[in-house]
Amino acid sequence: MIYFNVIKRKNPKDGTVKYYAQAYGRRLISQKELMEDVEKQTSLTSGDVKNAIDSLLYVIKKNLSDGRSVKLDGIGTFSVSIKSRGVSNKTDFSTADVKRKMINFRASTDLREYINQSSVADWSSTFGSTSGTGSSEVKPNV
């Protein structure tokens, strides 16, 4: 179940106010909890799971820093992009003009379809009341 809050947003172009659904993160799952869940689903020990996650992270970092994209079937693709200042002449460009490097993630079709098929519910109608602004008064544990 994916929960949402109803929030108020002002349109920056014309100043009109409308209410929109915003996904509500109920709780952050730690790596330890994730490892425990994987351990329960497999014959791997917690140490095996930790080693696998640590190794996967190392390999993803190495490949991204070498300019490769990394595709994990059923999960998605990681890639790197760069933001830079513009210069008027190609020969004037230097590495100092690179402002920032970013990691991008594109979810797989399977993962996106799974989420799109998930049901949604208003957090406030499920777990608490709403205030006059339409946003939930109940805050989740994070």
Side-chain angles (χ1 to χ4, degrees):
M1 179 74 61
I2 298 173
Y3 293 98
F4 64 88
N5 265 342
V6 178
I7 61 161
K8 180 173 33 174
R9 289 194 183 140
K10 186 186 284 190
N11 184 328
K13 292 181 181 178
D14 62 15
T16 58
V17 174
K18 291 187 178 179
Y19 293 86
Y20 297 89
Q22 179 176 333
Y24 198 63
R26 296 185 334 156
R27 190 166 90 67
L28 179 67
I29 301 298
S30 70
Q31 180 172 325
K32 182 180 178 196
E33 290 172 296
L34 213 61
M35 289 174 15
E36 289 169 355
D37 285 351
V38 171
E39 184 181 4
K40 290 175 189 171
Q41 297 293 318
T42 67
S43 62
L44 301 173
T45 67
S46 60
D48 293 336
V49 175
K50 182 170 182 354
N51 285 338
I53 290 172
D54 290 346
S55 297
L56 179 63
L57 180 58
Y58 171 80
V59 171
I60 289 172
K61 286 177 181 178
K62 183 179 180 321
N63 281 283
L64 290 176
S65 67
D66 287 343
R68 296 182 190 98
S69 295
V70 177
K71 181 179 180 182
L72 301 175
D73 291 340
I75 296 175
T77 303
F78 294 90
S79 62
V80 174
S81 64
I82 293 176
K83 293 263 186 195
S84 68
R85 288 188 273 292
V87 295
S88 55
N89 190 331
K90 184 177 180 177
T91 57
D92 294 336
F93 192 88
S94 74
T95 56
D97 293 310
V98 173
K99 294 193 294 187
R100 129 176 142 218
K101 298 162 275 203
M102 299 161 296
I103 297 173
N104 304 308
F105 175 74
R106 171 106 173 127
S108 71
T109 302
D110 291 345
L111 186 56
R112 281 184 275 133
E113 286 175 358
Y114 181 83
I115 294 302
N116 284 331
Q117 292 172 3
S118 298
S119 56
V120 295
D122 186 343
W123 171 266
S124 60
S125 66
T126 306
F127 295 102
S129 62
T130 59
S131 65
T133 62
S135 57
S136 175
E137 293 175 354
V138 176
K139 299 297 179 200
N141 295 330
V142 178

